[in-house]
Amino acid sequence: MASCVDSLWMKELTNLDIYNDLANDIKTINIDEKVDYELPTELLKKRLKEMDAKSPFNIEYNPGLENLIKSFLKNRKKSFERLMAISEYYFPMFEEAMARENVPLEIKYLAVVESALNPKAVSRVGATGLWQFMYETGKQYKLGIDSYVDERADPLKASGAAAKYMSNMYKIFGDWDLVLASYNSARGMLQRQSVVQEARKLLEYPQKSS
Protein backbone atom coordinates (compact mmCIF):
# COMPACT_ATOMS: atom_id res chain seq x y z
CA MET A 1 0.00 0.00 0.00
CA ALA A 2 2.81 2.42 0.93
CA SER A 3 4.61 1.65 -2.34
CA CYS A 4 1.39 2.31 -4.28
CA VAL A 5 0.84 5.65 -2.52
CA ASP A 6 4.47 6.70 -3.15
CA SER A 7 4.13 5.81 -6.82
CA LEU A 8 0.94 7.85 -7.20
CA TRP A 9 2.50 10.79 -5.35
CA MET A 10 5.60 10.81 -7.56
CA LYS A 11 3.36 10.64 -10.64
CA GLU A 12 1.41 13.67 -9.37
CA LEU A 13 4.60 15.64 -8.66
CA THR A 14 5.76 15.23 -12.25
CA ASN A 15 2.41 15.43 -14.05
CA LEU A 16 2.75 18.13 -16.73
CA ASP A 17 -0.98 18.74 -17.21
CA ILE A 18 -1.13 21.76 -14.86
CA TYR A 19 2.08 23.26 -16.27
CA ASN A 20 0.81 23.08 -19.85
CA ASP A 21 -2.59 24.50 -18.90
CA LEU A 22 -1.12 27.31 -16.81
CA ALA A 23 1.41 28.25 -19.49
CA ASN A 24 -1.39 28.43 -22.05
CA ASP A 25 -3.58 30.52 -19.72
CA ILE A 26 -0.81 33.03 -19.11
CA LYS A 27 -0.29 33.46 -22.85
CA THR A 28 -3.97 33.71 -23.84
CA ILE A 29 -5.86 35.25 -20.91
CA ASN A 30 -7.51 38.62 -21.55
CA ILE A 31 -7.18 40.74 -18.40
CA ASP A 32 -9.60 43.30 -19.82
CA GLU A 33 -12.41 40.76 -19.94
CA LYS A 34 -14.71 40.96 -16.90
CA VAL A 35 -15.30 37.70 -15.05
CA ASP A 36 -18.45 36.92 -13.10
CA TYR A 37 -17.33 35.42 -9.79
CA GLU A 38 -18.45 35.64 -6.17
CA LEU A 39 -15.71 37.96 -4.96
CA PRO A 40 -16.79 41.55 -4.21
CA THR A 41 -14.38 44.18 -5.49
CA GLU A 42 -14.24 45.92 -2.11
CA LEU A 43 -13.32 42.68 -0.35
CA LEU A 44 -10.55 42.05 -2.87
CA LYS A 45 -9.23 45.60 -2.39
CA LYS A 46 -9.22 45.09 1.38
CA ARG A 47 -7.30 41.83 1.14
CA LEU A 48 -4.75 43.26 -1.29
CA LYS A 49 -4.24 46.26 1.01
CA GLU A 50 -3.62 43.95 3.97
CA MET A 51 -1.09 41.98 1.94
CA ASP A 52 0.63 45.17 0.78
CA ALA A 53 1.03 46.38 4.37
CA LYS A 54 3.03 43.26 5.29
CA SER A 55 4.92 42.62 2.08
CA PRO A 56 8.18 44.07 0.70
CA PHE A 57 6.48 44.01 -2.70
CA ASN A 58 4.19 46.65 -4.13
CA ILE A 59 0.71 45.08 -4.18
CA GLU A 60 -1.95 47.40 -5.61
CA TYR A 61 -5.46 46.83 -6.90
CA ASN A 62 -6.29 47.39 -10.54
CA PRO A 63 -9.18 46.06 -12.69
CA GLY A 64 -6.89 43.84 -14.74
CA LEU A 65 -5.61 42.12 -11.61
CA GLU A 66 -9.18 41.60 -10.41
CA ASN A 67 -10.16 39.98 -13.72
CA LEU A 68 -7.06 37.77 -13.59
CA ILE A 69 -7.73 36.58 -10.03
CA LYS A 70 -11.41 35.89 -10.71
CA SER A 71 -10.62 34.05 -13.94
CA PHE A 72 -8.23 31.66 -12.21
CA LEU A 73 -10.55 31.16 -9.23
CA LYS A 74 -13.48 30.39 -11.51
CA ASN A 75 -11.82 28.32 -14.22
CA ARG A 76 -8.93 26.60 -12.45
CA LYS A 77 -10.37 25.29 -9.19
CA LYS A 78 -9.15 21.73 -9.68
CA SER A 79 -5.70 22.91 -10.72
CA PHE A 80 -5.40 25.07 -7.61
CA GLU A 81 -6.45 22.15 -5.41
CA ARG A 82 -3.64 20.06 -6.88
CA LEU A 83 -1.14 22.93 -6.64
CA MET A 84 -2.01 23.50 -2.97
CA ALA A 85 -1.39 19.82 -2.25
CA ILE A 86 1.95 19.80 -4.11
CA SER A 87 3.00 23.05 -2.40
CA GLU A 88 2.95 21.22 0.95
CA TYR A 89 5.89 19.22 -0.38
CA TYR A 90 7.89 21.97 -2.12
CA PHE A 91 7.27 25.17 -0.13
CA PRO A 92 9.22 24.11 2.99
CA MET A 93 12.39 23.53 0.94
CA PHE A 94 11.83 26.84 -0.91
CA GLU A 95 11.44 28.71 2.38
CA GLU A 96 14.54 27.11 3.87
CA ALA A 97 16.65 28.13 0.85
CA MET A 98 15.26 31.67 0.87
CA ALA A 99 15.74 32.11 4.60
CA ARG A 100 19.44 31.28 4.19
CA GLU A 101 19.80 34.11 1.65
CA ASN A 102 17.49 36.62 3.43
CA VAL A 103 15.06 36.51 0.49
CA PRO A 104 11.35 37.30 1.12
CA LEU A 105 9.45 34.05 1.52
CA GLU A 106 6.69 35.31 -0.81
CA ILE A 107 9.01 34.60 -3.73
CA LYS A 108 8.20 30.91 -3.29
CA TYR A 109 4.99 31.60 -5.23
CA LEU A 110 7.07 32.55 -8.28
CA ALA A 111 7.70 28.84 -8.85
CA VAL A 112 3.94 28.32 -9.22
CA VAL A 113 3.86 30.76 -12.14
CA GLU A 114 7.16 29.60 -13.62
CA SER A 115 6.65 25.84 -13.57
CA ALA A 116 3.34 25.00 -11.84
CA LEU A 117 5.62 23.35 -9.25
CA ASN A 118 6.87 20.75 -11.72
CA PRO A 119 10.60 19.89 -11.68
CA LYS A 120 10.30 18.35 -15.17
CA ALA A 121 8.82 21.46 -16.77
CA VAL A 122 10.67 22.64 -19.89
CA SER A 123 9.64 25.82 -21.70
CA ARG A 124 9.69 26.29 -25.48
CA VAL A 125 13.01 28.20 -25.14
CA GLY A 126 14.64 25.53 -22.96
CA ALA A 127 14.13 26.95 -19.47
CA THR A 128 14.01 23.95 -17.16
CA GLY A 129 12.87 22.86 -13.71
CA LEU A 130 10.87 24.34 -10.86
CA TRP A 131 12.56 27.72 -11.28
CA GLN A 132 12.88 27.61 -15.08
CA PHE A 133 16.60 28.29 -15.28
CA MET A 134 18.08 28.83 -18.71
CA TYR A 135 21.26 26.88 -19.48
CA GLU A 136 23.66 29.81 -19.01
CA THR A 137 22.10 30.92 -15.72
CA GLY A 138 22.07 27.37 -14.39
CA LYS A 139 25.77 26.96 -15.12
CA GLN A 140 26.50 30.38 -13.61
CA TYR A 141 24.89 29.25 -10.36
CA LYS A 142 26.86 25.98 -10.23
CA LEU A 143 24.10 23.64 -11.41
CA GLY A 144 25.48 20.61 -13.21
CA ILE A 145 24.11 20.27 -16.74
CA ASP A 146 25.35 17.63 -19.18
CA SER A 147 24.17 14.63 -21.18
CA TYR A 148 23.62 12.57 -18.01
CA VAL A 149 22.24 14.98 -15.42
CA ASP A 150 20.45 18.32 -15.30
CA GLU A 151 20.45 19.79 -11.81
CA ARG A 152 18.00 22.48 -12.88
CA ALA A 153 15.44 19.69 -12.31
CA ASP A 154 16.81 18.96 -8.82
CA PRO A 155 14.38 20.63 -6.35
CA LEU A 156 16.95 21.20 -3.58
CA LYS A 157 19.86 22.40 -5.72
CA ALA A 158 17.71 24.51 -8.03
CA SER A 159 15.93 26.17 -5.08
CA GLY A 160 19.28 27.04 -3.52
CA ALA A 161 20.43 28.54 -6.83
CA ALA A 162 17.19 30.50 -7.22
CA ALA A 163 17.51 31.97 -3.73
CA LYS A 164 21.13 32.94 -4.43
CA TYR A 165 20.09 34.54 -7.72
CA MET A 166 17.40 36.60 -5.97
CA SER A 167 19.85 37.70 -3.29
CA ASN A 168 22.43 38.78 -5.88
CA MET A 169 19.85 40.68 -7.91
CA TYR A 170 18.68 42.54 -4.81
CA LYS A 171 22.26 43.70 -4.21
CA ILE A 172 22.21 45.19 -7.70
CA PHE A 173 18.71 46.70 -7.85
CA GLY A 174 17.85 47.27 -4.18
CA ASP A 175 14.18 46.67 -4.92
CA TRP A 176 12.32 43.35 -4.75
CA ASP A 177 9.85 44.32 -7.49
CA LEU A 178 12.80 44.87 -9.85
CA VAL A 179 14.27 41.54 -8.76
CA LEU A 180 11.09 39.80 -9.90
CA ALA A 181 11.16 41.75 -13.17
CA SER A 182 14.78 40.75 -13.73
CA TYR A 183 13.97 37.07 -13.33
CA ASN A 184 12.32 36.98 -16.74
CA SER A 185 14.47 39.66 -18.34
CA ALA A 186 18.07 39.83 -19.37
CA ARG A 187 19.93 41.43 -16.48
CA GLY A 188 21.85 43.74 -18.75
CA MET A 189 18.66 44.85 -20.51
CA LEU A 190 16.97 45.70 -17.22
CA GLN A 191 20.04 47.61 -16.04
CA ARG A 192 20.07 49.62 -19.27
CA GLN A 193 16.36 50.35 -18.89
CA SER A 194 16.94 51.56 -15.33
CA VAL A 195 19.62 53.95 -16.54
CA VAL A 196 17.32 55.24 -19.28
CA GLN A 197 14.51 55.79 -16.77
CA GLU A 198 16.78 57.75 -14.47
CA ALA A 199 18.00 59.87 -17.38
CA ARG A 200 14.41 60.64 -18.36
CA LYS A 201 13.64 61.72 -14.81
CA LEU A 202 16.55 64.13 -14.88
CA LEU A 203 15.41 65.53 -18.22
CA GLU A 204 11.83 65.95 -17.01
CA TYR A 205 12.81 67.36 -13.61
CA PRO A 206 16.19 69.07 -14.01
CA GLN A 207 18.09 69.69 -10.81
CA LYS A 208 18.40 73.26 -9.65
CA SER A 209 21.85 74.70 -10.02
CA SER A 210 23.59 75.47 -6.75
Side-chain angles (χ1 to χ4, degrees):
M1 178 65 73
S3 177
C4 180
V5 170
D6 286 344
S7 176
L8 290 172
W9 179 237
M10 290 304 298
K11 183 178 179 181
E12 179 67 7
L13 288 176
T14 56
N15 188 318
L16 287 170
D17 289 348
I18 303 177
Y19 171 72
N20 292 330
D21 288 345
L22 185 60
N24 184 62
D25 282 344
I26 291 173
K27 285 189 292 186
T28 61
I29 194 166
N30 179 7
I31 62 173
D32 294 322
E33 181 180 345
K34 281 200 167 187
V35 179
D36 183 24
Y37 188 78
E38 300 171 358
L39 176 60
T41 298
E42 290 306 313
L43 178 58
L44 176 60
K45 287 181 178 179
K46 179 183 177 183
R47 290 177 176 175
L48 291 174
K49 187 175 181 180
E50 290 173 351
M51 290 173 62
D52 185 55
K54 298 178 181 179
S55 174
F57 298 96
N58 182 34
I59 303 173
E60 294 183 353
Y61 168 85
N62 64 68
L65 177 60
E66 179 176 7
N67 294 335
L68 183 66
I69 290 172
K70 288 183 175 180
S71 175
F72 276 90
L73 288 174
K74 181 178 181 179
N75 302 317
R76 291 294 174 201
K77 284 185 178 180
K78 290 186 178 180
S79 295
F80 278 123
E81 289 173 0
R82 291 171 64 186
L83 283 169
M84 289 174 68
I86 295 170
S87 72
E88 294 291 322
Y89 179 80
Y90 285 120
F91 279 3
M93 71 175 74
F94 294 171
E95 291 174 353
E96 183 179 353
M98 290 168 189
R100 286 198 302 266
E101 300 292 339
N102 293 315
V103 172
L105 300 186
E106 293 98 319
I107 287 183
K108 66 188 179 186
Y109 295 107
L110 179 62
V112 176
V113 179
E114 291 288 333
S115 67
L117 299 180
N118 195 314
K120 290 190 175 182
V122 180
S123 78
R124 58 181 178 80
V125 294
T128 299
L130 288 163
W131 297 95
Q132 291 290 278
F133 277 112
M134 294 296 289
Y135 176 86
E136 294 83 359
T137 311
K139 296 291 284 187
Q140 180 183 352
Y141 282 86
K142 313 300 182 185
L143 295 177
I145 306 170
D146 56 35
S147 300
Y148 301 98
V149 66
D150 189 341
E151 291 181 344
R152 292 177 295 174
D154 183 308
L156 281 172
K157 292 182 179 180
S159 296
K164 188 67 177 177
Y165 175 94
M166 301 294 178
S167 177
N168 288 343
M169 291 302 98
Y170 185 74
K171 292 173 185 176
I172 294 172
F173 299 117
D175 182 284
W176 287 112
D177 288 318
L178 283 178
V179 170
L180 284 182
S182 77
Y183 201 80
N184 278 315
S185 304
R187 189 177 80 175
M189 181 184 297
L190 189 56
Q191 287 175 314
R192 289 194 294 272
Q193 289 174 344
S194 298
V195 171
V196 170
Q197 289 170 357
E198 290 302 317
R200 284 175 176 168
K201 288 179 184 178
L202 291 174
L203 289 172
E204 292 172 0
Y205 306 103
Q207 295 178 333
K208 293 180 180 179
S209 57
S210 56

